[in-house]
């Protein structure tokens, strides 16, 4: 079936370094790609999203890039801080039964060490 | 945070008992979703609703049913809970379409003994 693969499953960086998380998707019709951050004991929170008509989007220290030909997209966090430590999920839209739905990756646990 | 509450936040129950989880929103959003979250699986869609009394199955719907009698409430029922349904359950809402931003509730941790 349709799926989204996310790598790595865990990522450990030093404060100030950059972190990159990559996702690949299988449905070429997918056109919406959100990224969520989940802190311990809380629900996922949208941090950035991108649609298929653009290749890159930035919001302060966070950026997302999309390569539709290769069917992959990536989250880039620069100048990481300890509060960036969380689990990050990517997702891709999928049309099923006449409706778009989101398929989520398995998540990446990011640890930022002071 | 979007105005989404889930109740209960934690529940422990025994195999074979019925369980109902509630999602309540104050945003007047049309779409509501129930997901389960398990280690290594990310978030998987159980059921969704595209309006009052309009619901449909997601990818892991077996053993679950839903109801939506009001815009603001979406109920998830486990007819006869099993240990495989031990999980964290999240409700989400979106305004205009599936591909619109989905906002998640705080989650319910369910343990089936």
């Amino acid at each position: 079936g349709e799926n989204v693969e996310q790598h790595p499953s865990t990522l450990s960086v030093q404060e100030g370094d950059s972190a990159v998380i990559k996702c690949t998707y299988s449905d070429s019709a997918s056109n919406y790609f959100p990224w969520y951050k989940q802190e311990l004991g809380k629900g996922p929170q949208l941090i950035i999203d991108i649609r298929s008509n653009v290749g890159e989007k930035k919001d302060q220290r966070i950026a997302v890039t999309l390569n539709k030909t290769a069917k992959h997209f990536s989250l880039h966090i620069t100048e990481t801080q300890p509060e960036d430590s969380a689990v990050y999920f990517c997702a891709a839209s999928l049309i099923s039964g006449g409706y778009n739905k989101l398929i989520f990756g398995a998540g990446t646990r990011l640890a930022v060490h002071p | 945070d979007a105005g989404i509450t889930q109740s209960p936040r934690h529940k422990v129950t025994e195999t074979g008992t019925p369980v109902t989880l509630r999602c309540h929103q104050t945003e007047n959003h049309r779409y509501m979703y129930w997901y389960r979250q398990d280690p290594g699986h990310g978030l998987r869609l159980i059921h969704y609703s595209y309006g009052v009394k309009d619901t449909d199955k997601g990818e892991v719907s077996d053993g679950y049913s839903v109801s939506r009698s009001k815009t603001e409430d979406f109920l998830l029922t486990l007819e006869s809970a099993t240990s495989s349904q031990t999980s964290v359950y999240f409700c989400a809402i979106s305004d205009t379409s599936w591909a619109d931003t989905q906002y998640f509730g705080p989650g319910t941790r369910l343990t089936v003994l």
Side-chain angles (χ1 to χ4, degrees):
Chain A
E2 302 299 338
N3 70 311
V4 174
E5 294 189 359
Q6 183 172 347
H7 299 280
S9 57
T10 60
L11 181 58
S12 182
V13 301
Q14 291 297 123
E15 182 177 1
D17 288 349
S18 295
V20 180
I21 303 170
K22 299 181 179 181
C23 289
T24 60
Y25 60 97
S26 55
D27 185 1
S28 57
S30 293
N31 59 10
Y32 175 64
F33 308 91
W35 285 88
Y36 287 84
K37 175 183 180 182
Q38 186 177 24
E39 298 176 335
L40 192 63
K42 297 185 178 181
Q45 181 177 16
L46 179 79
I47 55 172
I48 195 168
D49 57 11
I50 192 169
R51 299 188 186 269
S52 59
N53 57 343
V54 297
E56 183 176 4
K57 183 176 178 180
K58 290 183 179 179
D59 183 3
Q60 299 182 337
R61 296 185 297 109
I62 294 174
V64 58
T65 59
L66 172 65
N67 183 328
K68 288 216 71 180
T69 302
K71 290 191 285 188
H72 67 71
F73 56 112
S74 300
L75 177 70
H76 305 254
I77 306 174
T78 59
E79 301 173 24
T80 54
Q81 302 167 4
E83 51 265 39
D84 294 328
S85 297
V87 179
Y88 292 82
F89 292 96
C90 64
S93 63
L94 168 69
I95 297 175
S96 176
Y99 294 93
N100 278 316
K101 63 178 182 180
L102 292 179
I103 303 297
F104 286 84
T108 296
R109 184 174 299 278
L110 173 65
V112 180
H113 302 285
Chain B
D1 292 342
I4 310 171
T5 56
Q6 292 185 232
S7 59
R9 294 294 313 280
H10 302 271
K11 186 171 181 65
V12 180
T13 190
E14 294 187 350
T15 298
T17 60
V19 176
T20 295
L21 308 182
R22 179 182 185 236
C23 176
H24 179 78
Q25 60 144 328
T26 58
E27 305 296 324
N28 201 35
H29 283 1
R30 177 182 175 186
Y31 296 84
M32 300 185 75
Y33 318 83
W34 277 108
Y35 291 89
R36 61 177 289 173
Q37 184 176 47
D38 305 289
H41 289 279
L43 291 147
R44 293 182 291 175
L45 183 66
I46 305 171
H47 281 279
Y48 63 95
S49 170
Y50 46 96
V52 173
K53 294 187 177 9
D54 292 324
T55 65
D56 206 346
K57 297 178 180 180
E59 58 183 310
V60 289
S61 59
D62 287 348
Y64 302 94
S65 62
V66 291
S67 66
R68 190 171 179 198
S69 58
K70 297 185 291 185
T71 298
E72 58 266 34
D73 289 327
F74 193 32
L75 303 180
L76 176 70
T77 297
L78 290 66
E79 304 290 348
S80 177
T82 68
S83 58
S84 64
Q85 293 175 313
T86 292
S87 187
V88 181
Y89 292 85
F90 287 99
C91 173
I93 64 174
S94 67
D95 192 14
T96 57
S97 73
W98 284 93
D100 202 357
T101 302
Q102 290 191 22
Y103 299 97
F104 285 81
T108 294
R109 182 173 295 276
L110 176 67
T111 302
V112 183
L113 301 175

